[in-house]
Amino acid sequence: MRDAPIFRLEKFLPFRVNRVADNLVREIGGVYREMYGMSRGEWRVLAHLGANGSNTASNLMALTALDKVKISRAVTALGARGWLSRDVDRADRRVYHLSLTEAGRAAFARLAPAMQARQQDLFEGLDAERYARIEAALQDLEAVLHIEMPER
């Protein structure tokens, strides 16, 4: 009987990608927590609406990789801060269009550059070619997994 190959978790791609993602989120999350005491979900909703404009909660679920409960909590928290408005859809009153208020846009305008600077700090040891290869690999993984992303 042949020996079965030894499974090595540290070589298992899904584990490695998840571990890297968890560490990146922890590293970069300090920025939105320190500036505004925000959760990851609040940051994702704020960032998407700040960069792309109005959207519905159901669309945000797919675009932000957050479940319905986390979207609801983020929307509630951002609304309580006065950063988010909800407008009912005229054709379907069950649907709300979410958008940032002027205060929300101002918060995003302050936070986005700080997030970009933190990302740059994290990757300062990578030259442009290596960073481009990481970007390309991520795009390949998104394509294989049929993950639709907003325009880059």
Side-chain angles (χ1 to χ4, degrees), residues 6 10 17 19 23 47 56 58 60-61 69 76 94 97 101 110 120 128 135 145 149:
I6 296 173
E10 65 274 11
V17 170
R19 187 177 63 190
N23 280 276
T56 64
S58 58
L60 286 173
M61 286 173 30
V69 171
T76 298
R94 297 169 298 172
H97 295 276
T101 62
R110 287 187 300 273
Q120 189 171 355
E135 278 287 328
L145 296 170
M149 298 298 290

Side-chain angles (χ1 to χ4, degrees), residues 1-48:
M1 184 163 122
R2 288 181 54 193
D3 290 336
I6 296 173
F7 179 82
R8 306 277 310 210
L9 184 60
E10 65 274 11
K11 299 291 184 185
F12 189 58
L13 184 61
F15 171 76
R16 293 176 69 197
V17 170
N18 189 59
R19 187 177 63 190
V20 168
D22 284 348
N23 280 276
L24 282 172
V25 167
R26 191 171 23 260
E27 288 288 332
I28 209 161
V31 175
Y32 54 76
R33 279 190 302 279
E34 288 172 22
M35 286 182 74
Y36 293 115
M38 295 174 73
S39 71
R40 182 187 320 178
E42 290 169 60
W43 157 245
R44 288 183 185 179
V45 170
L46 180 81
H48 180 78

Side-chain angles (χ1 to χ4, degrees), residues 53-107:
S54 179
N55 215 322
T56 64
S58 58
N59 285 340
L60 286 173
M61 286 173 30
L63 294 167
T64 62
L66 295 170
D67 63 34
K68 189 175 187 175
V69 171
K70 288 182 180 165
I71 290 287
S72 178
R73 286 181 184 150
V75 166
T76 298
L78 293 172
R81 290 175 189 258
W83 291 357
L84 185 128
S85 66
R86 298 197 238 194
D87 298 310
V88 70
D89 188 287
R90 294 175 199 234
D92 185 346
R93 300 193 58 79
R94 297 169 298 172
V95 175
Y96 288 91
H97 295 276
L98 307 170
S99 56
L100 296 183
T101 62
E102 186 175 324
R105 287 189 301 274

Side-chain angles (χ1 to χ4, degrees), residues 119 130-140 142 152:
Q119 175 181 274
R130 291 181 87 185
Y131 189 82
R133 286 197 319 253
I134 292 169
E135 278 287 328
L138 288 172
Q139 288 176 12
D140 289 345
E142 290 165 348
R152 296 180 201 271

